[in-house]
């Protein structure tokens, strides 16, 4: 009898652990800092690429000093700078804002044609099981056009993002093979993420890319991963502690993202 009690406890503990974790690791979006903080000009974070990669193998963001756009694809991090080139990223580099997940598609959407960003997002809207969850979206193949931008490296004192994007570099990539990496963020989290769809792009040969402003393609498949879990890690520095994040910056989002 004495030896059977711990066995029962073990079984109970295992059952409890299963019941307590219905969301798998791959079903969680991990985000560092908030989009509002970036809009406010908080361009220095403490999260390293080594730490970010532990939280996901797919995603996007930017780097400290707002030094270009970030793509995370198949576990590798890429830096897409304003010179239009892609740079390798050291594990010691840090980010002020990034979002990643372990991508595992649970839905595929065949898209015969999308003439622009709005047409693509209208089709995705119809396919998403809810507008109230996060989703990761991946589209791979040949694109007629992908218009990408990147943001220039900043030095303190930092200007708000809406000022900085006036100096962004825009690259209209034509007839290009590559991958769209992005997320859908529910409207009710508009100060935390970029509300709606936020896409970055990198070419198949990993030489060009950036934040997607517009795109056009035919006959590609969107792979979609629903993310009911959300994990938010906030910066631990004086700039974040003292920043005024009470201001409504929603009108700035349109100028910055589109
Ligand atoms: Zn972006």
């Amino acid at each position: 009898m004495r030896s059977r009690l711990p066995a029962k406890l073990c079984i109970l503990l295992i059952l409890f652990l299963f019941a307590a974790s219905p969301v798998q690791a791959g079903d969680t979006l991990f985000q560092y800092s908030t989009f509002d903080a970036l809009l406010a000009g908080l361009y220095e974070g403490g999260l390293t690429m080594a730490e970010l990669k532990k939280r996901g193998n797919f995603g996007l963001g930017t780097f400290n000093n707002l030094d270009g756009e970030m793509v995370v694809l198949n576990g590798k991090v890429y830096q897409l700078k304003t010179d239009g080139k892609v740079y390798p990223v050291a594990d010691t580099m840090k980010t002020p804002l990034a979002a990643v997940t372990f991508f595992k598609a649970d839905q595929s959407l065949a898209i015969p044609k999308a003439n622009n960003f709005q047409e693509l997002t209208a089709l995705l809207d119809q396919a998403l099981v809810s507008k109230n969850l996060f989703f990761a979206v991946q589209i791979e193949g040949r694109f007629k056009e992908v218009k990408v931008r990147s943001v220039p490296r900043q030095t303190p004192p930092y200007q708000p993002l809406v000022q900085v994007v006036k100096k962004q570099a825009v690259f209209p990539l034509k007839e290009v093979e590559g991958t769209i990496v992005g997320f859908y963020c529910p409207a009710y989290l508009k100060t935390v993420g970029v509300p709606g769809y936020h896409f970055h792009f990198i070419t198949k040969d990993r030489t060009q890319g950036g934040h997607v402003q517009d795109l056009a393609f035919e006959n590609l498949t969107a792979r979609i991963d629903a993310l009911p879990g959300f994990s938010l890690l906030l910066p631990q520095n004086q700039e974040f502690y003292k920043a005024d994040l009470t201001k409504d910056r929603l009108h700035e989002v349109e100028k910055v993202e589109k």
Side-chain angles (χ1 to χ4, degrees), residues 125-182:
D125 276 349
Q126 290 170 24
L128 299 185
V129 295
S130 167
K131 302 297 285 292
N132 299 331
L133 297 178
F134 282 99
F135 294 87
V137 179
Q138 180 174 354
I139 307 173
E140 203 166 71
R142 188 168 188 84
F143 293 78
K144 277 203 263 182
E145 180 172 4
V146 187
K147 191 175 160 196
V148 293
R149 75 103 197 269
S150 188
V151 280
R153 186 177 208 279
Q154 300 296 299
T155 50
Y158 295 122
Q159 299 295 304
L161 192 56
V162 73
Q163 297 296 326
V164 172
V165 292
K166 288 175 184 169
K167 288 174 186 153
Q168 68 190 6
V170 178
F171 305 94
L173 308 175
K174 309 264 188 191
E175 296 298 339
V176 65
E177 269 193 86
T179 307
I180 297 277
V181 170

Side-chain angles (χ1 to χ4, degrees), residues 49 59-73 76-96 149-154 171 200-203 206-211:
M49 293 305 111
L60 48 72
T62 184
F63 299 90
N64 273 10
N65 301 90
L66 203 70
D67 195 7
E69 310 280 349
M70 177 196 293
V71 165
V72 184
L73 186 57
K76 279 194 179 148
V77 185
Y78 302 93
Q79 184 181 21
L80 320 169
K81 293 204 206 180
T82 40
D83 62 2
K85 293 177 185 161
V86 175
Y87 291 82
V89 175
D91 278 350
T92 51
M93 276 177 74
K94 290 176 181 175
T95 176
R149 75 103 197 269
S150 188
V151 280
R153 186 177 208 279
Q154 300 296 299
F171 305 94
H200 286 191
F201 177 78
I202 188 161
T203 55
R206 309 292 190 247
T207 60
Q208 288 175 291
H211 170 100

Side-chain angles (χ1 to χ4, degrees):
M1 286 300 282
R2 277 189 144 201
S3 62
R4 290 180 72 180
L5 198 60
K8 274 185 185 169
L9 275 175
C10 279
I11 290 165
L12 276 175
L13 184 64
I14 288 165
L15 286 173
F16 171 77
L17 286 174
F18 270 109
S21 56
V23 172
Q24 301 299 304
D27 290 325
T28 297
L29 176 73
F30 168 80
Q31 185 175 307
Y32 180 71
S33 194
T34 69
F35 188 57
D36 252 24
L38 198 76
L39 286 172
L42 276 68
Y43 303 146
E44 288 180 39
L47 190 77
T48 65
M49 293 305 111
E51 289 161 344
L52 183 68
K53 286 192 279 187
K54 286 181 198 162
R55 312 294 192 113
N57 59 6
F58 174 99
L60 48 72
T62 184
F63 299 90
N64 273 10
N65 301 90
L66 203 70
D67 195 7
E69 310 280 349
M70 177 196 293
V71 165
V72 184
L73 186 57
N74 300 325
K76 279 194 179 148
V77 185
Y78 302 93
Q79 184 181 21
L80 320 169
K81 293 204 206 180
T82 40
D83 62 2
K85 293 177 185 161
V86 175
Y87 291 82
V89 175
D91 278 350
T92 51
M93 276 177 74
K94 290 176 181 175
T95 176
L97 182 76
V100 292
T101 189
F102 288 100
F103 188 87
K104 191 169 173 287
D106 40 36
Q107 188 186 352
S108 283
L109 174 70
I111 300 176
K113 192 172 190 176
N115 287 312
N116 53 49
F117 196 93
Q118 285 72 25
E119 284 188 20
L120 170 61
T121 58
L123 291 167
L124 290 169
D125 276 349
Q126 290 170 24
L128 299 185
V129 295
S130 167
K131 302 297 285 292
N132 299 331
L133 297 178
F134 282 99
F135 294 87
V137 179
Q138 180 174 354
I139 307 173
E140 203 166 71
R142 188 168 188 84
F143 293 78
K144 277 203 263 182
E145 180 172 4
V146 187
K147 191 175 160 196
V148 293
R149 75 103 197 269
S150 188
V151 280
R153 186 177 208 279
Q154 300 296 299
T155 50
Y158 295 122
Q159 299 295 304
L161 192 56
V162 73
Q163 297 296 326
V164 172
V165 292
K166 288 175 184 169
K167 288 174 186 153
Q168 68 190 6
V170 178
F171 305 94
L173 308 175
K174 309 264 188 191
E175 296 298 339
V176 65
E177 269 193 86
T179 307
I180 297 277
V181 170
F183 295 104
Y184 168 83
C185 170
Y188 63 83
L189 284 169
K190 54 187 176 285
T191 60
V192 175
V194 176
Y197 298 90
H198 183 191
F199 296 142
H200 286 191
F201 177 78
I202 188 161
T203 55
K204 191 180 179 184
D205 62 10
R206 309 292 190 247
T207 60
Q208 288 175 291
H211 170 100
V212 176
Q213 289 186 323
D214 206 356
L215 78 180
F217 64 86
E218 284 180 9
N219 298 319
L220 293 180
T221 299
R223 296 168 68 228
I224 300 167
D225 187 8
L227 307 170
F230 182 48
S231 169
L232 178 64
L233 181 65
L234 296 170
Q236 292 164 282
N237 57 45
Q238 289 304 313
E239 288 73 25
F240 187 80
Y241 293 165
K242 289 174 179 163
D244 180 6
L245 299 176
T246 61
K247 191 181 162 192
D248 184 355
R249 297 180 181 273
L250 202 54
H251 64 285
E252 295 176 20
V253 175
E254 189 71 14
K255 285 181 190 156
V256 165
E257 293 302 307
K258 300 295 167 353

